[in-house]
Every structure is written in structure tokens, then in C-alpha cells.
Amino acid sequence: MPHRNPPDPGGPLRRITSTSLIIAFALVMTASVLGVMAWKALEAKATALASGSAEIQNLAHSLSEHASHTIQAVDIAMSGMVDLLKYRDALPERFNNYLAETAKTLPQLRGIGVTDAEGNWRYSSFPETPRHNVSDRNYFPYHRDTPDKALRISEVLQSRLDDRSSMIVVSKRITRLDGSFGGVVAAAIDKDYFIGFYRTFQLGPDGGISLIRNDGTLLMRWPLSDKSTDLSRTDLFSKHLKLSSVGYYKIISPFDGIAKYFGYEETPHYPMVVTVAMSEDWLLSEWWKALRTDTIVAGVLLCMILMLAALLALQFRFRSKTERALREREAHYRLLANNIADIIILIDARSLLRYVSRSAEPVLGLRPKDLLGKSCFELVHPDDRESVQSATARINGVDSVSTVVFRHYRGDGTLAWVESKFKLASETSDPARTEFLCVIRDVTERKRMEDELTQLNRRLTQLAATDGLTGLTNRRTFDGFLRREYEICEEISVLLFDIDNFKGYNDSYGHQAGDRCLQAVAKAIGDATASTSGLSARYGGEEFAVVLPNTAEDTALKVAESIRLTIRALGIPNTASSRGYITISAGVAARTRSTLDEAALVGEADTALYEAKRLGRNRSVVYSSLDLQYIDSESIQHDAEFAPGERAQ
């Protein structure tokens, strides 16, 4: 009777689960794409509006400065004329030429002139002095009745010389020496000067720029509008300008009734306000274009998600067939041991687990049935996967065994160190049918003990090389470093430092304060060589040393001076010192042709240090600058005065 495979009772359930997963995947991905698109659209809109806000406010500021400078240039010219005419009348021909040159110099001026106390023109920049009277203009009675020197900016006026043109008149009162009214200096600024400048800005079809007097009188607007020129009742003047001279908000334009984003700024020095408005559609025009592009991209992504869902359905069907095949072959591996402490696994040529012994659960907390069909590298730490692959590659025959130690994930997510022995399960000429037998043993405890021993040895090595109080390297490490560097460097410098009056400091403040002082000085010296190839060390007691490979004498002196000044800047009080603070002395020596060895180099630095002490401390001395014959005679006296090994304080 032919053998038949038993039916799989879980097959329909797995198919239902797979279908649900695919549907859930498609829904989640679709929701993610739509959510990201909505989020990006909102963020991009907010960014566009923020950028528009900055652009509007910056433009309002620039135009405010432009309007102020335009008026200021005229104001300066008129102030000189007022001061001149205050004292005496000018010759008409000369003064008219002066006015004509002024109008020619200032491009914003259409013309400039001077009236007498009755409003008749006395001087003018025009070729012919106008004959009409200006006493009916608002600015004339204002100056006549208001004895101040302020500049007045008029409303928009029609020119009496050319009825088709509009202008703004800026004027100043002429006050004679006796205080009486002597007339008006008036300059006409052509409205087209501002309009020509404003039309150069790209504000969109509904944007606009306005120049308004601070009483709400509209001086000019681009684009031109026939609406009311009195804006004193708008929110700008009734509310916003009272709160701040600079602002930004959303309005319904009084000129065309369109919702716009609106920025304003008062001009410095003069009673004017510049406003800039842009419609929301214009500010968001690029955002709308990007949104259309994003919509197309989102549509493409949704189509790809549907295709991927279909591909996943095929993959699940293929996986179902694979699992069925695995169940058919499972009986072939039942002969392998299931109850030993080591884990036995069988891996096929695709690195998939074909069999896992029951010992995987008590050792690693992983159920064998959950591992079957998975890649053997899924639970291997990513940093160890290459070494595991190399171990299998080293197998060159049935009798060949390859051992590797690596990190393996347990069922609870923690890591275990395991030792694995790989060998071929059977010899075959078909690479696609190659199978590996692997025996895994938990060596976590052994690895922990090895790591603890390594850390202990490293710590002992560090302690042997470091001064316990200051954290700098000790004398032994310093000597070894200097010996090595002296052999390989043509240029090398040694710096020796000694804390001045340190014995008195210890006697005055105590040994704990002395330890803190040593630590502060050591930190300053260590920081100076932290980013170099040099080495800082505690040489002994209150002495410190620095080795600077590949460093000439002048550079080493700069380093010594930098350290000395840094320690002086710490401001550590020392009543035992005449200076009142902790200072150091430094001796600097660089290798020369006459230097015998590294010990001699240290001796030269020590000699220089002694000279720094002798000269009054708190200084750096270079060995090459010493008078050696004089130093030798001084050292005899020094040795007589101080006990051996005691540094002069």
C-alpha cells in the first residue's frame, strides 16, 4: 500500500492568516502613503506661508527704508537752504542755478522752489520761475501758522504746471532771525518716482504696495486704484499701528476686497507707513504645483503597493509549499539526538534550518518548531555573521571540522556566546544539495570570565602607567616614551615645570588643598598636549614634565609660556608666595648635536628650570640661552644651601 502524507489541519487557517496579513499590509501601506502625503502637504503649506511672511516683512522693511531715504535726501538739501535764507536773500540767478543743480542731483525731485511770505515764488529750479501763488495749498498756511522746523509731507497734489501729473510736496518753513515767517521751501516728488520703483517687484496679480501718511492719507499705491485715499478708519490705523510700528496680519483689501497677507512698517524719522500685500493664492502657487506632483507620486506608490501585495500572495503560496516539503523530510532527521545538552542543527545550502534539536529550548529559550525554515543567520549578531560564513567556507571535506565562537540571540532577545562546530552532513557533488551539521554549545559563562580577566589586565596596565593623584602618566611611562621618541625624532623638546612656593602652600592650606592644587595644575598641563602627539607626566612631587616630539625650541617655549599663563589665570590663592597666587616656573630644552642622550636632555631642562627659579620664579627659561659657566658656579652655592633633591622654593 503506497505511503500517503497526512493532511495538514492547519493549512486552511494559515491560508486565511496569510490573506489577512496581505490585506492588512495593503491597508497599512495605503494609509501610510496617504498620511505622509497629507502631512507633507500641510508642512509644505505652512512653510510656504512662513516664507511668504518673511518675504512680505522684509520687503516692507526695505521699502520703508527706501521711502525714508528718499525724503531724507530732500530734507537735508532743504535744511541747508532754510539756514541760508534765514540770514539773507540770495541772488536769484545764482540761487536758481543752485536749486536746478539740486533737483538734477536728486532723481526723486521733479522740482524745488522757495516762496515769499505771501505765497509767491521767489526762486525755482525750473528754467522759468512759476507765476502762480501757492497760499491756497495746505502746506503753506500750515508753515505760516506753525513756527516749527519740521518737514511736512503733503497729500497727493495735481501739478499746476502740468495738469496730468501728480506729486507729493515736502516743505519746510523759513523763519527769519526776528522769528517772523519768511516763506516756504517746497520740493515736489513726482508720484511716478515711487510707482516706477514699486512696479519692479513681483507681487502676483493681486499684490500691492502702498505709501501712506500716518494720518491715514494714501500718498500712492501700486497698482493704481481709484478707491478712497482716506485709510484712517482701517484696522491698520485704528488698532495695529497703536500696538507696534511693524506688523504682519491677514486682511480683506480695501482696494479690491481680496483676502491677502499684509505687512507694514513705519518709516524711520518721517510720518509715513509702507504696506505690502500679497494674495494667499499667489503665496501658495508653488505649493499647489508641488501638491499636484505629490498626488501623482502617491498614485504611483499606491499602484506599487497593490502589485507588492499580489507578489506577497504568491510568496506566501510558495512558502506554504516549502513548509509542506519540510514536513515530508522531517522524518529523515529524527534520528539525531534531541536530549543532549548541546544543540544539533542541520542547515541546507540556502542557509535555512532543516532540523533543530529539542535542547535549543532549555539552552537558548527557542522552540525548534519556530526556527525551522528560517535562515541560520537571523539569530546571529550582525557583527559575527561574516565569521560564521568564513567558518563554513573553510570546510573542505566530510572529515573537515570548522569551529567558531560567536554571539547568538536568545528567545528573550538577550545575547549568548556560543561555540559552534561545523562539518558536512554528507558528501555530494551537487552544491544545491549540500547540508551542514552544526553542534552548538553555550559558552557564555566562559566568555564572561575571559572578558573579566582581560578587563582586569587592561586596568592593571593602566594603573601601572598613570599617576593616581593627577591622572597624568607617571615617571616610568614618561621615561619610556621619551626613550622611544628620542630614537626616532630628529627634533624633540622637553619641558620641566615646578610649582613655585608649593611647600609654603602645603604648610598654609594643608595637604588636601595641596592635592587639589596639584590636580588643577596637572589638568592645565594635560589639556595643553591633549590634541598633540606629546606626553604630559607627573615627574615627582610638585614637578611635571612634557615631551614634545618633532618640536623645535621656539615652539616648545611658546607651549611652556601658554601653560604658565594658563596656571596663573587659574587664580589659586597662595599666601606663601609674594605674588599671592599659585605660579609655576618652566625649563625648556631642545635636542641639539651636543645632546648626548635623553637623560642629558632632561638634565638640560632641569638646569633651565633651576635658572627660572633663581631669576625669581613664574617664568620660562630656555637652556640654550644660559651662561653655563655662571650657572655652574651658582649651582655649587645652591647645593650648599638646599638638601639633595630639594627644589628651591
Side-chain angles (χ1 to χ4, degrees):
M1 184 174 181
H3 173 73
R4 299 181 64 184
N5 293 325
D8 180 15
L13 179 60
R14 276 194 294 272
R15 285 192 292 272
I16 294 174
T17 303
S18 300
T19 303
S20 301
L21 287 174
I22 293 171
I23 294 174
F25 167 78
L27 291 176
V28 169
M29 293 299 295
T30 300
S32 299
V33 170
L34 295 178
V36 169
M37 180 181 173
W39 171 79
K40 181 183 177 185
L42 292 175
E43 285 291 314
K45 183 177 181 181
T47 301
L49 292 177
S51 176
S53 168
E55 180 182 353
I56 289 173
Q57 293 182 80
N58 290 338
L59 182 56
H61 175 73
S62 298
L63 294 178
S64 171
E65 292 289 333
H66 171 265
S68 179
H69 293 162
T70 299
I71 301 299
Q72 188 178 37
V74 180
D75 188 7
I76 293 172
M78 293 172 64
S79 296
M81 298 175 191
V82 168
D83 290 340
L84 176 64
L85 296 173
K86 176 179 180 179
Y87 296 99
R88 61 184 176 85
D89 293 335
L91 294 175
E93 182 178 354
R94 293 181 61 185
F95 201 73
N96 286 342
N97 289 336
Y98 172 67
L99 294 177
E101 286 298 320
T102 301
K104 183 178 179 181
T105 303
L106 300 176
Q108 64 267 42
L109 286 183
R110 183 181 182 194
I112 185 170
V114 181
T115 73
D116 59 16
E118 285 73 35
N120 298 312
W121 293 104
R122 295 172 58 197
Y123 308 106
S124 172
S125 62
F126 294 112
E128 183 177 348
T129 303
R131 299 182 183 278
H132 59 269
N133 188 281
V134 296
S135 59
D136 59 333
R137 295 290 200 187
N138 289 341
Y139 63 84
F140 187 84
Y142 171 81
H143 289 302
R144 182 189 62 201
D145 302 333
T146 307
D148 61 28
K149 299 180 180 181
L151 180 82
R152 186 181 188 279
I153 302 174
S154 75
E155 64 277 4
V156 178
L157 301 174
Q158 291 296 122
S159 173
R160 289 176 174 170
L161 299 178
D162 182 3
D163 293 338
R164 293 176 297 174
S165 62
S166 301
M167 61 185 180
I168 298 172
V169 175
V170 292
S171 55
K172 298 194 77 166
R173 172 191 169 102
I174 301 174
T175 303
R176 300 190 182 278
L177 289 175
D178 59 2
S180 62
F181 176 61
V184 174
V185 178
I189 299 177
D190 202 327
K191 187 176 180 180
D192 289 340
Y193 171 78
F194 286 99
I195 297 300
F197 181 66
Y198 292 163
R199 64 160 52 98
T200 60
F201 298 97
Q202 299 295 324
L203 304 178
D206 301 313
I209 301 174
S210 298
L211 181 63
I212 311 168
R213 207 164 62 184
N214 65 351
D215 61 355
T217 301
L218 179 67
L219 299 180
M220 55 196 66
R221 182 181 186 276
W222 173 256
L224 300 174
S225 174
D226 55 359
K227 296 288 184 180
S228 171
T229 58
D230 184 8
L231 303 176
S232 60
R233 298 179 181 273
T234 61
D235 288 345
L236 174 62
F237 289 91
S238 63
K239 181 171 63 175
H240 294 286
L241 276 174
K242 295 178 180 180
L243 299 175
S244 175
S245 61
V246 179
Y248 175 82
Y249 58 99
K250 192 173 181 180
I251 65 166
I252 301 298
S253 174
F255 298 102
D256 52 23
I258 297 175
K260 300 178 182 179
Y261 287 94
F262 179 84
Y264 70 89
E265 182 168 337
E266 283 189 288
T267 60
H269 313 303
Y270 298 102
M272 296 184 297
V273 180
V274 174
T275 69
V276 177
M278 294 185 192
S279 67
E280 186 173 16
D281 290 341
W282 173 257
L283 290 178
L284 297 178
S285 57
E286 293 299 322
W287 176 75
W288 281 110
K289 294 178 183 178
L291 183 60
R292 285 191 289 270
T293 302
D294 290 345
T295 302
I296 295 173
V297 172
V300 173
L301 287 176
L302 291 176
C303 292
M304 294 176 64
I305 290 171
L306 293 176
M307 294 175 62
L308 184 58
L311 195 62
L312 282 174
L314 293 175
Q315 180 64 23
F316 274 118
R317 183 176 300 176
F318 173 76
R319 180 177 176 179
S320 178
K321 292 181 179 179
T322 303
E323 289 177 350
R324 190 161 52 250
L326 287 174
R327 286 192 301 273
E328 292 174 354
R329 298 185 59 187
E330 185 178 358
H332 299 164
Y333 306 106
R334 293 295 182 182
L335 298 178
L336 296 175
N338 287 321
N339 299 313
I340 60 175
D342 292 345
I343 305 170
I344 299 175
I345 63 175
L346 192 64
I347 308 170
D348 66 11
R350 295 178 297 171
S351 301
L352 298 179
L353 299 175
R354 310 299 293 175
Y355 172 80
V356 180
S357 67
R358 295 176 184 175
S359 53
E361 187 165 0
V363 175
L364 296 176
L366 299 168
R367 295 187 300 178
K369 65 178 183 179
D370 294 334
L371 299 175
L372 295 177
K374 293 185 177 180
S375 171
C376 65
F377 295 107
E378 286 189 19
L379 296 175
V380 177
H381 192 279
D383 295 342
D384 297 336
R385 290 174 183 172
E386 185 176 352
S387 62
V388 175
Q389 290 175 337
S390 300
T392 57
R394 290 196 296 268
I395 301 175
N396 53 18
V398 177
D399 297 329
S400 176
V401 177
S402 179
T403 303
V404 62
V405 177
F406 60 91
R407 287 164 289 181
H408 195 287
Y409 287 102
R410 293 191 177 99
D412 58 3
T414 60
L415 285 171
W417 282 96
V418 297
E419 181 183 74
S420 180
K421 296 181 181 293
F422 291 94
K423 66 172 297 183
L424 289 175
S426 60
E427 193 168 15
T428 176
S429 58
D430 185 2
R433 300 181 62 186
T434 301
E435 292 180 332
F436 296 92
L437 182 65
C438 178
V439 179
I440 298 176
R441 175 173 297 174
D442 188 352
V443 294
T444 303
E445 185 63 21
R446 187 185 79 188
K447 184 66 175 176
R448 183 188 65 80
M449 295 177 66
E450 292 175 353
D451 291 343
E452 288 181 356
L453 182 59
T454 301
Q455 289 292 336
L456 181 59
N457 289 334
R458 185 180 296 114
R459 179 59 179 165
L460 289 174
T461 302
Q462 182 181 8
L463 290 174
T466 306
D467 176 65
L469 175 63
T470 63
L472 297 179
T473 55
N474 55 23
R475 174 72 175 272
R476 179 179 180 182
T477 305
F478 168 85
D479 291 338
F481 180 83
L482 177 60
R483 188 182 309 110
R484 292 191 301 271
E485 295 298 323
Y486 190 89
E487 292 177 356
I488 62 176
C489 295
E490 292 184 3
E491 284 189 327
I492 186 170
S493 296
V494 170
L495 287 64
L496 287 182
F497 300 91
D498 187 273
I499 302 178
D500 300 324
N501 306 105
F502 186 74
K503 183 178 184 303
Y505 183 91
N506 260 340
D507 293 341
S508 300
Y509 297 91
H511 290 289
Q512 290 186 345
D515 289 347
R516 290 192 294 271
C517 175
L518 289 172
Q519 290 169 346
V521 172
K523 183 178 184 305
I525 296 175
D527 290 345
T529 58
S531 59
T532 69
S533 60
L535 177 79
S536 300
R538 185 181 181 188
Y539 198 69
E542 66 272 17
E543 291 191 1
F544 299 88
V546 174
V547 181
L548 297 176
N550 301 310
T551 303
E553 183 181 74
D554 55 345
T555 304
L557 177 61
K558 293 178 181 178
V559 174
E561 277 297 281
S562 175
I563 293 173
R564 184 182 67 82
L565 294 175
T566 300
I567 293 172
R568 174 60 182 84
L570 294 176
I572 302 174
N574 184 9
T575 57
S577 170
S578 60
R579 295 178 174 85
Y581 292 93
I582 284 293
T583 59
I584 62 169
S585 299
V588 180
R591 179 178 184 175
T592 63
R593 292 181 179 178
S594 62
T595 304
L596 298 178
D597 53 20
E598 68 275 9
L601 182 61
V602 174
E604 292 172 355
D606 188 66
T607 301
L609 174 59
Y610 164 71
E611 182 65 3
K613 287 286 190 177
R614 191 189 68 81
L615 293 176
R617 305 181 182 88
N618 189 29
R619 66 190 67 231
S620 299
V621 173
V622 181
Y623 177 77
S624 62
S625 66
L626 301 181
D627 184 344
L628 297 182
Q629 182 176 1
Y630 173 75
I631 293 299
D632 288 341
S633 63
E634 286 289 334
S635 63
I636 295 173
Q637 181 181 358
H638 165 71
D639 293 341
E641 293 177 354
F642 297 98
E646 180 183 0
R647 177 68 60 194
Q649 294 294 327

